[in-house]
Short mmCIF file of all heavy atoms in Angstrom, two decimals:
data_model
loop_
_atom_site.label_atom_id
_atom_site.label_comp_id
_atom_site.label_asym_id
_atom_site.label_seq_id
_atom_site.Cartn_x
_atom_site.Cartn_y
_atom_site.Cartn_z
N ILE I 1 110.73 15.62 -94.60
CA ILE I 1 109.87 14.50 -94.25
C ILE I 1 110.43 13.88 -92.98
O ILE I 1 111.62 13.59 -92.89
CB ILE I 1 109.84 13.47 -95.39
CG1 ILE I 1 109.32 14.12 -96.67
CG2 ILE I 1 108.97 12.29 -95.01
CD1 ILE I 1 109.40 13.22 -97.88
N ASN I 2 109.56 13.68 -91.99
CA ASN I 2 110.07 13.13 -90.74
C ASN I 2 110.34 11.62 -90.86
O ASN I 2 109.95 10.98 -91.82
CB ASN I 2 109.11 13.43 -89.58
CG ASN I 2 107.76 12.79 -89.76
OD1 ASN I 2 107.56 11.99 -90.65
ND2 ASN I 2 106.83 13.13 -88.90
N LEU I 3 111.03 11.09 -89.89
CA LEU I 3 111.48 9.71 -89.93
C LEU I 3 110.31 8.72 -89.94
O LEU I 3 110.36 7.70 -90.62
CB LEU I 3 112.40 9.44 -88.73
CG LEU I 3 113.06 8.07 -88.67
CD1 LEU I 3 113.93 7.86 -89.90
CD2 LEU I 3 113.89 7.95 -87.41
N GLN I 4 109.25 9.03 -89.21
CA GLN I 4 108.10 8.14 -89.16
C GLN I 4 107.46 8.01 -90.54
O GLN I 4 107.08 6.91 -90.96
CB GLN I 4 107.08 8.66 -88.15
CG GLN I 4 105.87 7.75 -88.00
CD GLN I 4 104.89 8.27 -86.96
OE1 GLN I 4 105.09 9.36 -86.42
NE2 GLN I 4 103.86 7.52 -86.70
N THR I 5 107.36 9.11 -91.28
CA THR I 5 106.78 9.07 -92.62
C THR I 5 107.67 8.27 -93.57
O THR I 5 107.17 7.49 -94.38
CB THR I 5 106.59 10.51 -93.15
OG1 THR I 5 105.80 11.24 -92.20
CG2 THR I 5 105.89 10.52 -94.49
N LYS I 6 108.98 8.47 -93.48
CA LYS I 6 109.90 7.70 -94.31
C LYS I 6 109.78 6.21 -94.01
O LYS I 6 109.78 5.38 -94.93
CB LYS I 6 111.34 8.15 -94.07
CG LYS I 6 111.65 9.50 -94.66
CD LYS I 6 113.10 9.85 -94.37
CE LYS I 6 113.43 11.24 -94.86
NZ LYS I 6 114.82 11.62 -94.56
N LEU I 7 109.70 5.85 -92.74
CA LEU I 7 109.58 4.46 -92.34
C LEU I 7 108.28 3.85 -92.87
O LEU I 7 108.27 2.75 -93.42
CB LEU I 7 109.64 4.33 -90.82
CG LEU I 7 109.57 2.92 -90.25
CD1 LEU I 7 110.81 2.13 -90.65
CD2 LEU I 7 109.44 2.95 -88.74
N PHE I 8 107.19 4.58 -92.74
CA PHE I 8 105.90 4.10 -93.22
C PHE I 8 105.92 3.93 -94.74
O PHE I 8 105.44 2.92 -95.26
CB PHE I 8 104.78 5.06 -92.81
CG PHE I 8 103.43 4.65 -93.31
CD1 PHE I 8 102.75 3.60 -92.71
CD2 PHE I 8 102.84 5.30 -94.38
CE1 PHE I 8 101.51 3.21 -93.17
CE2 PHE I 8 101.60 4.91 -94.85
CZ PHE I 8 100.93 3.86 -94.25
N ALA I 9 106.48 4.88 -95.46
CA ALA I 9 106.54 4.80 -96.92
C ALA I 9 107.40 3.62 -97.35
O ALA I 9 107.02 2.87 -98.27
CB ALA I 9 107.08 6.10 -97.49
N THR I 10 108.53 3.42 -96.71
CA THR I 10 109.40 2.29 -97.05
C THR I 10 108.71 0.97 -96.75
O THR I 10 108.74 0.04 -97.57
CB THR I 10 110.71 2.38 -96.25
OG1 THR I 10 111.33 3.64 -96.51
CG2 THR I 10 111.66 1.26 -96.62
N PHE I 11 108.05 0.88 -95.61
CA PHE I 11 107.32 -0.34 -95.25
C PHE I 11 106.21 -0.63 -96.26
O PHE I 11 106.03 -1.76 -96.70
CB PHE I 11 106.72 -0.19 -93.84
CG PHE I 11 105.86 -1.34 -93.44
CD1 PHE I 11 106.41 -2.54 -93.05
CD2 PHE I 11 104.48 -1.22 -93.46
CE1 PHE I 11 105.61 -3.61 -92.67
CE2 PHE I 11 103.67 -2.27 -93.09
CZ PHE I 11 104.24 -3.48 -92.70
N PHE I 12 105.48 0.39 -96.67
CA PHE I 12 104.37 0.23 -97.60
C PHE I 12 104.88 -0.24 -98.97
O PHE I 12 104.31 -1.14 -99.58
CB PHE I 12 103.60 1.55 -97.72
CG PHE I 12 102.34 1.44 -98.52
CD1 PHE I 12 101.24 0.78 -98.02
CD2 PHE I 12 102.27 1.99 -99.79
CE1 PHE I 12 100.08 0.67 -98.76
CE2 PHE I 12 101.12 1.89 -100.53
CZ PHE I 12 100.02 1.23 -100.02
N ILE I 13 105.97 0.36 -99.44
CA ILE I 13 106.53 -0.03 -100.73
C ILE I 13 107.02 -1.49 -100.68
O ILE I 13 106.75 -2.28 -101.60
CB ILE I 13 107.66 0.93 -101.13
CG1 ILE I 13 107.07 2.29 -101.47
CG2 ILE I 13 108.47 0.37 -102.30
CD1 ILE I 13 108.10 3.39 -101.63
N LEU I 14 107.71 -1.86 -99.61
CA LEU I 14 108.17 -3.24 -99.48
C LEU I 14 107.00 -4.22 -99.35
O LEU I 14 107.04 -5.32 -99.90
CB LEU I 14 109.09 -3.37 -98.27
CG LEU I 14 110.48 -2.76 -98.43
CD1 LEU I 14 111.23 -2.83 -97.11
CD2 LEU I 14 111.25 -3.47 -99.52
N LEU I 15 105.95 -3.82 -98.66
CA LEU I 15 104.77 -4.67 -98.52
C LEU I 15 104.12 -4.92 -99.88
O LEU I 15 103.78 -6.06 -100.21
CB LEU I 15 103.77 -4.03 -97.56
CG LEU I 15 102.48 -4.80 -97.31
CD1 LEU I 15 102.79 -6.10 -96.57
CD2 LEU I 15 101.51 -3.95 -96.52
N ILE I 16 103.97 -3.88 -100.68
CA ILE I 16 103.38 -4.02 -102.01
C ILE I 16 104.25 -4.93 -102.87
O ILE I 16 103.75 -5.80 -103.59
CB ILE I 16 103.20 -2.63 -102.67
CG1 ILE I 16 102.19 -1.80 -101.89
CG2 ILE I 16 102.80 -2.76 -104.13
CD1 ILE I 16 100.80 -2.39 -101.85
N PHE I 17 105.58 -4.76 -102.80
CA PHE I 17 106.50 -5.59 -103.58
C PHE I 17 106.39 -7.06 -103.18
O PHE I 17 106.28 -7.95 -104.03
CB PHE I 17 107.93 -5.09 -103.39
CG PHE I 17 108.95 -5.92 -104.09
CD1 PHE I 17 109.10 -5.87 -105.45
CD2 PHE I 17 109.77 -6.77 -103.36
CE1 PHE I 17 110.04 -6.66 -106.10
CE2 PHE I 17 110.71 -7.56 -103.99
CZ PHE I 17 110.84 -7.50 -105.37
N ILE I 18 106.37 -7.34 -101.88
CA ILE I 18 106.31 -8.72 -101.39
C ILE I 18 104.96 -9.35 -101.75
O ILE I 18 104.90 -10.51 -102.16
CB ILE I 18 106.59 -8.77 -99.89
CG1 ILE I 18 108.06 -8.42 -99.63
CG2 ILE I 18 106.24 -10.12 -99.29
CD1 ILE I 18 108.41 -8.22 -98.19
N LEU I 19 103.87 -8.59 -101.62
CA LEU I 19 102.56 -9.13 -102.00
C LEU I 19 102.48 -9.42 -103.49
O LEU I 19 101.89 -10.42 -103.91
CB LEU I 19 101.45 -8.17 -101.59
CG LEU I 19 101.13 -8.13 -100.10
CD1 LEU I 19 100.09 -7.06 -99.80
CD2 LEU I 19 100.65 -9.48 -99.61
N GLY I 20 103.08 -8.55 -104.30
CA GLY I 20 103.11 -8.79 -105.75
C GLY I 20 103.88 -10.05 -106.09
O GLY I 20 103.43 -10.86 -106.91
N CYS I 21 105.04 -10.24 -105.46
CA CYS I 21 105.82 -11.46 -105.68
C CYS I 21 105.05 -12.69 -105.24
O CYS I 21 105.06 -13.73 -105.92
CB CYS I 21 107.15 -11.38 -104.93
SG CYS I 21 108.29 -10.17 -105.61
N PHE I 22 104.35 -12.59 -104.12
CA PHE I 22 103.56 -13.73 -103.63
C PHE I 22 102.43 -14.06 -104.60
O PHE I 22 102.17 -15.24 -104.88
CB PHE I 22 103.00 -13.41 -102.25
CG PHE I 22 102.16 -14.51 -101.68
CD1 PHE I 22 102.74 -15.68 -101.22
CD2 PHE I 22 100.79 -14.37 -101.60
CE1 PHE I 22 101.98 -16.71 -100.71
CE2 PHE I 22 100.01 -15.39 -101.08
CZ PHE I 22 100.60 -16.56 -100.64
N LEU I 23 101.76 -13.05 -105.14
CA LEU I 23 100.68 -13.30 -106.09
C LEU I 23 101.19 -13.96 -107.36
O LEU I 23 100.56 -14.86 -107.91
CB LEU I 23 99.95 -12.00 -106.42
CG LEU I 23 99.05 -11.46 -105.31
CD1 LEU I 23 98.49 -10.10 -105.70
CD2 LEU I 23 97.93 -12.44 -105.02
N ILE I 24 102.35 -13.52 -107.84
CA ILE I 24 102.96 -14.15 -109.02
C ILE I 24 103.31 -15.60 -108.72
O ILE I 24 103.03 -16.50 -109.52
CB ILE I 24 104.19 -13.34 -109.48
CG1 ILE I 24 103.75 -11.99 -110.02
CG2 ILE I 24 104.99 -14.12 -110.52
CD1 ILE I 24 104.88 -11.03 -110.27
#
């Protein structure tokens, strides 16, 4: 997996986590 894909996946996972915390 190239670095750009890893960066995008990490960003997406963190974004989902932060949005979930904000909704709670």
